[in-house]
Amino acid sequence: MFQMSEEQGQERCFRKRRAALAVALLIMADILQPDMNSLQVPGENNHISAPSSPSVGRNDCSIAPLTPSASPRPEARSRMAHAFSVVVAIDFGTTSSGYAFSFTQDPEAIHMMRRWEGGDPGVANQKSPTSLLLTPELKFHSFGFAARDNYHDLDPEEAQHWLYFDKFKMKIHSTTDLTMETELEAVSGRKVRAIEVFSHALRFFRVHALKEVKDQSSSVLEGDEVRWVITVPAVWRQPAKQFMREAAYLAGLVSPDSPEQLLIALEPEAASIYCRKLHLHQVIDLSLRPMTNGLSLESDGCRPFDSSFRQAREQLRKARHSRTFLVERGTGELWSEMQTGDRYIVADCGGGTLDLTVHQIEQPQGTLKELYKVSGGPYGAVGVDLAFEAMLCQIFGEDFIKSFKAKRPAAWVDLTIAFEARKRTATPGRSNALNISLPFSFIDFYKRYRGESVETALRKSNMNIVKWSSQGMLRLTPEAMNELFQPTINNIIKHIEELMQRQEVQGVRFLFLVGGFAESPMLQQAAQNALGQMCRIIIPQDVGLTILKGAVLFGLDPTVVRVRRCPLTYGVGVLNRFVEGRHPRDKLLVKEGRDWCTDILDRFVSVDQSVALGEVVRRSYTPARSGQRKIIINIYCSVSDDVVYISDPGVRKCGAITLDLPDALPGTVDGAERSERREIRTTMQFGDTEIKVMAVDMATNRTVRAAIDFLSN
């Protein structure tokens, strides 16, 4: 497929080196969504220059915005400066994960990963459980089904020394002070650095994906010919995104010196990108599907489609290669019903989070425009699992459940697996109870712990919706399953309803339900009942793989989302002329006979502001003293735009920009021969999935090493 002559190989090598040099000059650091704001600087009025030292106390330098720009400005930058041969996407989910890839010479074919060994009976194993097993010496042992099965087979006493991690992705979302030292707790109670757990998992996927890519490629692929894409929830803030990037560096996916080789894809965006390609026979339209016990009356669950040619092609595709999906070059027929300006919502209902994004498709090019900032929260399928655990605590006692998890960790995992299998079969109209097998060690441990039987505990709990079977099973009545599902489902529906009531989202025609939890008939019927009169509700076939396929398409064309909305207000702290009656007296700073107001927020971007791909924000800063080799600029953020000072409620320090200054050339600004300040021109991009920063020394036109850090806060 990729055979070429020696001359062609030399030419491509030359182009790659030239492209890599261009990228190195343009991209000095990658980060994730906006989180900026801090610096002591004079500059509310563009003509005000800064004193040489007022900010030294806070930032060890004086930073003067010599040429501030009020809003982002467009600046064309190529996202495909490097020629990649293959794109590999990793969908790192809370409950399950997987990978897919596509060769750039054949972008219409998306190759899914091999079927995983193991798995639960009756459950499709298109992806692997996000489970990791480390040895007592903290070495990698296994991932996915293998990790789960090996942990299950350990002796109970031995299992307490091993480290088993399950659904650990949620820790990154829930940790407010995420750093490189943040720890994760294994089922056994032992702790290890989170960055090591994530890097082990990513390294596992790197090895498996590259092996499969090489098996399907006729040429030898170099490491820099692979573009990697990792998916993250859109509601994740900058520290979590940077954390995933750092884990990828540690796992060896890419080098920190080649940040452009790795893309961070937002999960609902990826789903939206793939949904553009859908044909009518590839979706389930809930508005056209009668529901009986939560199931479609149609045999295949799909809307009838009269194109025998495409159906024949689909059948041919399945017969040829069950793991290869064909996508169209343009958009699918679903979009033929949409006019320019029509809007739709993608609700990514995953294992850990709910992600909502509002897009508008731009005809005829098929690019996407985000209409409202991403929203959502921790309302994923894990919420049902937590409700089940809370129910067990109510019946058997929280102290017992805690002790059982610590003393019999493998048996606890068995119980959660048993519940997961039954959870997937729950339907709204079900009339009979669901049986969940209790491990023998649970029954035995409870007898020893309490001195009474499990059946006695159930009777004493007065929980009539849970029964006991003489066959050693908990019988959850339909009312019990309803009680477990409803809190999470209600949060999802409430969030979508609130979003659809906003002025910016009026006129939505479609609601796409994607993610693993979207497979649940419980959620499907609740969405149709509550939202079916407001828009058409569409569920893609293989809904659990929608994000993964879209992530591959995003890697092939990262410019497909043309406009995004800022999730937060970002800026830095600056000094401005003090105005009596306007500025509070406690902000007054007198320096060299002049009155300055401290802590004013100099905005880079505002919350929910539209920022196009390639638009930049520029600021210029100057060192406080001759010979200074580093400028550190604190970044502040807020969920509101109604803030004036970095000390206002709701404003917090979230990161820092670091500029490593090169030695000044003889006779230039840093020397004694010239008196004007040395200007460092900093350029920031906010329209991407990550925040990027670049810097140039204006006196010498030399690149300044620049980076944004959200993890050392």
Side-chain angles (χ1 to χ4, degrees), residues 34-47:
D35 257 67
M36 328 184 43
N37 277 154
S38 135
L39 281 251
Q40 292 301 100
V41 199
E44 181 180 38
N45 302 311
N46 293 358
H47 63 278

Side-chain angles (χ1 to χ4, degrees), residues 379-388 391 419-428 430 434 436 476-493 516-524 526:
Y379 313 124
V382 169
V384 183
D385 304 336
L386 295 176
F388 176 64
M391 178 180 286
F419 175 71
E420 175 68 25
R422 304 309 290 156
K423 181 179 73 174
R424 291 170 179 258
T425 66
T427 56
R430 189 183 184 99
L434 283 172
I436 298 175
L476 271 61
T477 64
E479 292 78 16
M481 294 304 293
N482 235 14
E483 194 170 294
L484 298 181
F485 274 86
Q486 283 313 306
T488 299
I489 289 178
N490 289 344
N491 276 322
I492 292 174
I493 299 301
F517 198 28
E519 297 176 352
S520 169
M522 303 283 282
L523 176 59
Q524 291 178 13

Side-chain angles (χ1 to χ4, degrees), residues 294-332:
L295 302 175
S296 171
L297 293 180
E298 297 173 27
S299 59
D300 60 359
C302 305
R303 178 180 177 179
F305 186 68
D306 58 6
S307 174
S308 57
F309 170 78
R310 288 197 176 91
Q311 286 182 333
R313 184 184 182 198
E314 183 73 359
Q315 293 300 321
L316 177 63
R317 190 272 304 166
K318 289 179 178 178
R320 268 181 51 197
H321 204 315
S322 61
R323 292 181 299 107
T324 300
F325 291 83
L326 300 178
V327 295
E328 302 299 325
R329 287 190 180 275
T331 54

Side-chain angles (χ1 to χ4, degrees), residues 17 27 82 95 137 164 195 228 264 343 364 468 613 651 665:
R17 290 176 179 174
I27 303 178
H82 183 97
T95 56
E137 297 74 35
Y164 179 80
I195 193 73
W228 294 90
I264 298 296
R343 304 158 179 208
W468 175 248
L613 196 65
V651 180
L665 297 177

Side-chain angles (χ1 to χ4, degrees), residues 66-116:
L66 304 180
T67 57
S69 56
S71 61
R73 293 183 289 183
E75 181 171 294
R77 294 189 183 278
S78 172
R79 297 292 304 277
M80 294 295 284
H82 183 97
F84 298 101
S85 297
V86 64
V87 170
V88 180
I90 300 174
D91 181 11
F92 199 112
T94 300
T95 56
S96 60
S97 302
Y99 66 87
F101 57 93
S102 179
F103 295 101
T104 55
Q105 290 190 2
D106 186 19
E108 294 183 16
I110 299 177
H111 306 274
M112 307 304 294
M113 61 205 161
R114 292 192 177 99
R115 299 285 181 181
W116 298 99

